[in-house]
Amino acid sequence: MLARKSIIPEEFALPALASRIPRKPVFRDRVNKARFIAKNGSCELAHKNIREQGRFLQDVFTTLVDLKWRFTLVIFTMTFLCSWLLFAMGWWLVAFAHGDLDPHRESAIDKCVTNVKSFTSAFLFSIEVQVTIGFGGRMITEQCPTAITVLILQNIASLIINAVMLGCIFMKTAQSHRRAETLIFSRHAVIAVRNNRLCFMIRVGDLRKSMIIGAVVRMQVVRKTTTPEGEVIPIHQIEVPSDSTVAGNNIFLVSPLVICHVIDRHSPLYELSAMELQCSDLEVIVILEGVVETTGITTQARTSYVSEEIRWGHRFVPIVTEEDGLYSVDYSKFGNTVKVATPRCSARELDDKPSILIQTLQKSELSHQNSLRKRNSMRRNNSMRKVNVAMRRNNSSLAVPKVQFFTPEGNENMATT
C-alpha cells in the first residue's frame, strides 16, 4: 500500500521552512579555558601522582598550618584527648603494679597516687597533671619513684604539645594572606595612550588605614609558547616591568594607584593589536608584596587578567578628590572606566607610523567639538522653546475674555467685552 501523499507541498513543510531560516552565528565563551591564577589570588594548579608522600610528614608544623580549619581542630582535640588517655593508662598501670587498686588495702600513705581506685580516677588525675589545674583529693606521694618519673614525662610532653598546637593555631590566625583580603585590584585592566605611548594599566588599593611598608608590584605574562626547536612550554612566564617613579618599583600605597606598564619593544604585548589581543591566549599576573605595618609579616596579594578582562581604549576614572582640606577616596568607582581615543593597532605599528596616533587624536577632537556643538545647539533650542512658551502664556493672559448671555427663551446671545 502506497503512503498517503500530504496535502501541503514539501517545500512548505515545517522541516523545509526551518532549514531556510537564517541562523545567527553562535559565539561560545571559552568556559573551559584554564587560568594560572584565579581572581582571588589562589593558584589553579592540581598536583597529581605524588609518590613521595612522606616528605609532608617531615615538616609536620607546616603541614598542620596548611590544613583546613576543620582538620586542624580535629587534630587539636584528638592530640590532647589521646595524650590524656595514654598517661591515664600509665597511671593506672603504676597503681596496679603497686597494688593501689586492691579494695582491701586501707592505708593511703603507702600508695603512689591517693584516691586512684579505677581507670576513671586515673584519667581524671592525668587531666589534672597535664593542664596544671592543681591537685585535689588525688595527688602523688613520695613512696613510688616510678610515679615521679611518669609525672616528669607527662609534664614535658604537655609542654611540647601545648607549644606545637598553640603555635599552629596562632600561625593559622595570623597568616599573611588574611591581610591580603583588604588589598584589592580592579576587575578589569585597560590599555590606553599615556604620554603618547600605549600603556597597560591596572588599579590597586588598600582598604585599611595601616600601611604596607615597602610595597612592590610585579607583573608577569603567562602564555603557551613554542621554541624554534619545537619544544612546547605550556606555562612560559615573562617578566613585565612596570613604570614607577621610585627605584625598585616601591610604591606608597596610601591611596589607590594606577600601575602602568609601557608597551615598548621589550614588552610581550608589543605586537598585539586590539583584535589580536581578544583572540590571544595569554594571562597577565599581578603580584603585590609588602610588609604589614602592625605585625611585621610579609604579605602577598595576587590576581590575574585574561584577554577577555582587558579593555582596549579605556581609562580609569579619577576617584580621589579634595573636600574641606582632606583627600577623599570614592571606592564605589574603583573599577569604573571610561572610553578614550586609542588606536586599535599594535604598539609596533604605532612606532612605525606615528601619524596613526595623530589622526586618532584629531578624530577624537573633532568628534568632541561636534558633540559640544550639538549640545550647545540643543541648549539654544530649549531656551528658545521656553521663551516662546512664556510669550504665548503672556499673550493668552492679555486676551479679552468672551462672555455668553442666556435669554429666558433659551436663545443664546454671544457678546464680547
Side-chain angles (χ1 to χ4, degrees):
M1 183 177 180
L2 297 177
R4 181 182 298 177
K5 189 175 182 180
S6 176
I7 301 176
I8 303 176
E10 295 182 357
E11 59 270 14
F12 295 103
L14 185 60
L17 293 176
S19 61
R20 295 179 184 178
I21 298 176
R23 297 181 179 180
K24 296 182 179 179
V26 179
F27 298 95
R28 296 180 179 178
D29 297 333
R30 295 180 294 176
V31 294
N32 295 327
K33 180 182 179 300
R35 57 191 307 163
F36 193 53
I37 300 294
K39 295 298 290 183
N40 59 357
S42 61
C43 295
E44 299 291 331
L45 189 65
H47 299 275
K48 297 181 178 180
N49 301 326
I50 300 178
R51 297 180 180 180
E52 299 180 0
Q53 297 287 344
R55 293 181 177 270
F56 295 98
L57 298 178
Q58 296 178 3
D59 188 7
V60 180
F61 186 78
T62 306
T63 304
L64 291 175
V65 174
D66 291 339
L67 289 176
K68 295 182 179 180
W69 269 107
R70 55 178 177 267
F71 300 117
T72 303
L73 293 177
V74 170
I75 294 175
F76 181 85
T77 305
M78 293 303 298
T79 301
F80 281 100
L81 186 60
C82 291
S83 64
W84 295 338
L85 290 173
L86 177 63
F87 283 99
M89 180 62 68
W91 289 114
W92 185 84
L93 291 176
V94 169
F96 178 78
H98 195 260
D100 296 345
L101 301 180
D102 188 3
H104 301 289
R105 188 174 181 178
E106 297 179 356
S107 178
I109 300 177
D110 298 335
K111 291 184 177 181
C112 291
V113 181
T114 60
N115 294 328
V116 174
K117 301 178 181 180
S118 62
F119 183 78
T120 304
S121 59
F123 178 74
L124 294 176
F125 181 73
S126 174
I127 296 176
E128 293 176 1
V129 172
Q130 187 160 338
V131 300
T132 63
I133 61 176
F135 299 106
R138 287 174 292 270
M139 62 181 180
I140 192 172
T141 63
E142 59 184 10
Q143 301 296 327
C144 188
T146 306
I148 298 175
T149 304
V150 175
L151 178 65
I152 295 173
L153 292 177
Q154 187 171 5
N155 286 330
I156 295 174
S158 65
L159 290 176
I160 295 175
I161 293 173
N162 290 335
V164 173
M165 298 310 299
L166 295 179
C168 176
I169 297 297
F170 173 77
M171 290 302 298
K172 286 187 70 66
T173 55
Q175 280 183 335
S176 59
H177 66 83
R178 303 297 179 185
R179 179 62 177 86
E181 295 294 334
T182 53
L183 298 175
I184 57 177
F185 298 88
S186 58
R187 183 69 181 176
H188 296 86
V190 297
I191 293 179
V193 177
R194 174 183 280 189
N195 297 327
N196 297 327
R197 301 295 299 271
L198 273 180
C199 297
F200 175 88
M201 293 173 285
I202 64 166
R203 176 175 277 172
V204 297
D206 188 5
L207 299 179
R208 291 187 181 272
K209 291 186 178 180
S210 58
M211 297 177 55
I212 299 295
I213 302 174
V216 179
V217 176
R218 296 188 294 111
M219 295 185 187
Q220 289 184 352
V221 171
V222 177
R223 63 194 310 176
K224 182 179 180 180
T225 58
T226 304
T227 62
E229 295 78 14
E231 180 185 2
V232 178
I233 304 176
I235 303 177
H236 186 202
Q237 302 180 17
I238 306 173
E239 193 71 23
V240 176
S242 59
D243 187 12
S244 179
T245 57
V246 185
N249 292 337
N250 293 333
I251 59 176
F252 186 54
L253 196 60
V254 67
S255 65
L257 298 177
V258 175
I259 307 301
C260 176
H261 160 65
V262 179
I263 305 177
D264 53 9
R265 62 184 59 193
H266 302 290
S267 173
L269 308 176
Y270 185 63
E271 297 183 356
L272 293 178
S273 63
M275 187 63 66
E276 293 172 348
L277 178 64
Q278 296 298 323
C279 301
S280 63
D281 189 10
L282 61 84
E283 181 180 356
V284 181
I285 300 175
V286 182
I287 304 172
L288 173 60
E289 294 178 332
V291 179
V292 182
E293 184 181 19
T294 55
T295 61
I297 300 176
T298 302
T299 185
Q300 185 183 92
R302 301 177 296 267
T303 191
S304 67
Y305 301 93
V306 294
S307 57
E308 291 84 0
E309 298 171 348
I310 301 176
R311 295 181 175 179
W312 191 290
H314 283 248
R315 183 183 299 164
F316 290 107
V317 299
I319 60 175
V320 180
T321 57
E322 186 176 356
E323 298 176 359
D324 299 331
L326 295 175
Y327 288 101
S328 177
V329 180
D330 186 6
Y331 280 98
S332 63
K333 302 178 182 178
F334 182 81
N336 293 358
T337 60
V338 62
K339 288 186 178 181
V340 292
T342 306
R344 306 289 294 179
C345 62
S346 63
R348 181 185 184 90
E349 297 178 2
L350 197 61
D351 290 343
D352 295 339
K353 298 179 181 179
S355 59
I356 298 177
L357 179 60
I358 299 175
Q359 294 175 1
T360 304
L361 296 178
Q362 288 178 353
K363 291 180 181 179
S364 174
E365 185 66 22
L366 289 175
S367 62
H368 181 65
Q369 291 179 0
N370 292 333
S371 63
L372 289 178
R373 290 172 184 173
K374 292 180 180 179
R375 193 177 302 173
N376 293 332
S377 63
M378 291 178 63
R379 289 178 180 176
R380 286 195 297 267
N381 293 334
N382 292 333
S383 61
M384 291 296 295
R385 290 175 183 175
K386 291 180 181 179
V387 171
N388 293 333
V389 170
M391 292 178 62
R392 290 176 182 175
R393 290 179 180 176
N394 294 333
N395 293 334
S396 62
S397 61
L398 295 176
V400 179
K402 296 182 179 180
V403 182
Q404 185 177 9
F405 297 94
F406 295 90
T407 59
E409 288 79 6
N411 295 327
E412 295 183 358
N413 295 326
M414 301 297 297
T416 303
T417 59

